[in-house]
Amino acid sequence: MTILIQYKQTLGEQHFDIDLRLPAKGITAVFGRSGAGKTSLINVVAGLAQPSSGHISINGKVLYDSTRKLNVPTHRRNIGYVFQEARLFPHFSVKGNLNYGCKVPDDDYFQSVVSLLALTPLLDRLPNQLSGGERQRVAIGRALLSKPDLLLMDEPLASLDLPRKREVLPFLEQLSNTVDVPILYVSHSLNEVLRLAENMVVIDQGKVAASGTLEQVWASQAMTPWQSFSEQSSLFQAVIAEHNHDYALSRVQLAPEVSLWVQKIDGHVGDSVRLQVRSNDVSLVLEKPTKTSIRNIISATIESIETLQHGDKQSVSVSVKLAPECRLVATITAWARDDLGLKPGMPVYVQIKGVSVTQKDVVVA
């Protein structure tokens, strides 16, 4: 189940050379600077723009192949597209707009989409009687009701104010868990990416700077320009192992031998979660403390040390391995690095306050 996007294209002075193999499930975020080529990428997939060469297919269904001179028209690609603006038909009711997306009537599916997006009370209203968030939910529903092979979303929250974004985000979170349609989600908001995506693509100057799971890309060099000293963090896919109700804490399992106590998570034991640990909340010690208020003390090995310079500010980023395929970044001062004599390969202990990881740092799958 794979989405292949391989193409070359020139738009003005911008040259694109894209080569992607993406999983055909869940939400894949397409991230990058303004003008990097995010919207151009999904427009090529949708057939709204034609590249000079390449190959595009969804689960083996070929949409474009320059060697075979094949270019399936937009209306036959069976792709849903949600724009920044809802683009509803003003003279149609909500129900009429939703039905416009239906190729073949399916009452059960219609009701499931309406229920998913909480649109039942709105069905008889006209678009001018809806809030921005409500209009965008209708646009998402219309796209889903076409039963697409792929759903493209081009910064669907960009035109909404903060309260409307908070209104729509929970519905978007449900999409990847409820609807069996892969989604390419263009965004310049790291908060949206963290809340929604399972996979991530970073586009930079018309090329793929990084691609993979969200955790892999988040830890890559491609994300360095986007994370200031205070924003550096590590992401983990974890499982809720237990709750301590007396102290309002939850233990999450990062790896078979690695777990963290964090502030209580609104989830059940066994639930999958994505956990964000800020690098400023991580400290390193050479000897294991015995009497300390810090609840998480984990043995680790230093993998790399990098000095970061931003103007007259300096910090040191230390990447440590907690277990195979389980890594964490700590941000410390150059003074601490030199005072402790830190070097790659050294064993250390990682300290993380249990109160530093809160519910807002956790996404429950």
Side-chain angles (χ1 to χ4, degrees):
M1 304 291 283
T2 304
I3 301 168
L4 291 178
I5 307 173
Q6 301 164 326
Y7 71 89
K8 294 183 179 181
Q9 184 186 33
T10 299
L11 295 174
E13 296 182 354
Q14 179 72 286
H15 301 284
F16 298 91
D17 189 352
I18 301 294
D19 189 348
L20 283 170
R21 180 184 294 266
L22 304 174
K25 63 178 181 178
I27 297 179
T28 296
V30 182
F31 183 79
R33 303 178 191 276
S34 296
K38 305 185 298 294
T39 299
S40 296
L41 186 151
I42 62 171
N43 282 345
V44 166
V45 175
L48 298 176
Q50 182 175 338
S52 55
S53 63
H55 175 96
I56 298 168
S57 62
I58 303 173
N59 295 331
K61 178 182 176 181
V62 180
L63 305 179
Y64 176 80
D65 192 326
S66 57
T67 60
R68 295 162 54 187
K69 294 184 170 31
L70 175 64
N71 185 21
V72 176
T74 300
H75 66 279
R76 291 179 50 206
R77 292 197 176 194
N78 198 33
I79 289 177
Y81 202 130
V82 178
F83 298 88
Q84 290 185 27
E85 301 291 341
R87 301 192 183 189
L88 303 180
F89 297 111
H91 56 293
F92 284 179
S93 66
V94 167
K95 186 174 182 178
N97 273 282
L98 291 171
N99 280 324
Y100 192 85
C102 298
K103 296 183 178 72
V104 178
D106 185 335
D107 289 341
D108 289 342
Y109 186 58
F110 181 90
Q111 291 301 327
S112 68
V113 171
V114 167
S115 176
L116 170 67
L117 297 170
L119 297 175
T120 302
L122 311 177
L123 290 177
D124 294 327
R125 295 189 194 178
L126 292 171
N128 64 6
Q129 298 172 309
L130 305 176
S131 70
E134 289 168 342
R135 286 195 293 271
Q136 205 64 326
R137 280 155 50 198
V138 175
I140 294 167
R142 181 175 60 184
L144 289 173
L145 286 166
S146 68
K147 294 186 177 180
D149 295 326
L150 174 67
L151 182 59
L152 307 175
M153 307 186 85
D154 187 11
E155 302 197 47
L157 305 184
S159 64
L160 304 180
D161 58 27
L162 187 57
R164 300 290 81 76
K165 287 181 180 179
R166 288 174 175 166
E167 171 194 326
V168 178
L169 260 174
F171 295 101
L172 292 176
E173 285 181 308
Q174 292 181 59
L175 286 182
S176 62
N177 297 323
T178 308
V179 179
D180 190 23
V181 178
I183 300 171
L184 293 188
Y185 187 96
V186 171
S187 179
H188 63 270
S189 166
L190 286 178
N191 180 55
E192 289 176 29
V193 171
L194 286 171
R195 288 277 300 270
L196 301 173
E198 298 169 22
N199 300 283
M200 186 175 183
V201 174
V202 179
I203 303 296
D204 186 27
Q205 297 183 344
K207 292 183 172 56
V208 177
S211 178
T213 67
L214 181 59
E215 293 77 21
Q216 290 170 337
V217 175
W218 193 263
S220 72
Q221 291 295 317
M223 293 304 297
T224 301
W226 302 96
Q227 299 181 2
S228 67
F229 293 142
S230 61
E231 293 172 332
Q232 285 190 316
S233 61
S234 303
L235 293 183
F236 300 96
Q237 279 297 129
V239 175
I240 300 175
E242 65 175 298
H243 295 298
N244 186 319
H245 299 289
D246 292 337
Y247 295 110
L249 296 172
S250 299
R251 184 170 64 86
V252 293
Q253 202 78 36
L254 310 185
E257 64 272 42
V258 181
S259 63
L260 290 180
W261 284 103
V262 301
Q263 288 198 39
K264 192 171 185 302
I265 298 171
D266 294 332
H268 302 289
V269 171
D271 283 352
S272 295
V273 296
R274 178 183 300 130
L275 197 73
Q276 183 180 18
V277 178
R278 290 176 180 79
S279 302
N280 282 350
D281 292 326
V282 180
S283 65
L284 305 176
V285 293
L286 298 184
E287 297 179 1
K288 187 174 183 178
T290 55
K291 293 185 177 181
T292 173
S293 65
I294 296 176
R295 298 296 85 190
N296 299 299
I297 302 171
I298 307 167
S299 61
T301 303
I302 296 177
E303 287 202 319
S304 64
I305 301 175
E306 181 183 7
T307 302
L308 306 175
Q309 191 81 39
H310 293 272
D312 60 349
K313 297 180 180 179
Q314 185 185 72
S315 69
V316 175
S317 179
V318 182
S319 176
V320 300
K321 183 167 72 172
L322 308 180
E325 308 303 321
C326 186
R327 289 163 176 78
L328 179 71
V329 175
T331 299
I332 63 174
T333 64
W335 185 5
R337 174 200 60 198
D338 295 342
D339 190 44
L340 296 175
L342 300 180
K343 297 184 184 304
M346 281 183 62
V348 293
Y349 288 93
V350 171
Q351 297 187 123
I352 306 168
K353 288 184 177 181
V355 295
S356 67
V357 182
T358 66
Q359 181 69 47
K360 68 183 178 62
D361 302 312
V362 177
V363 176
V364 180

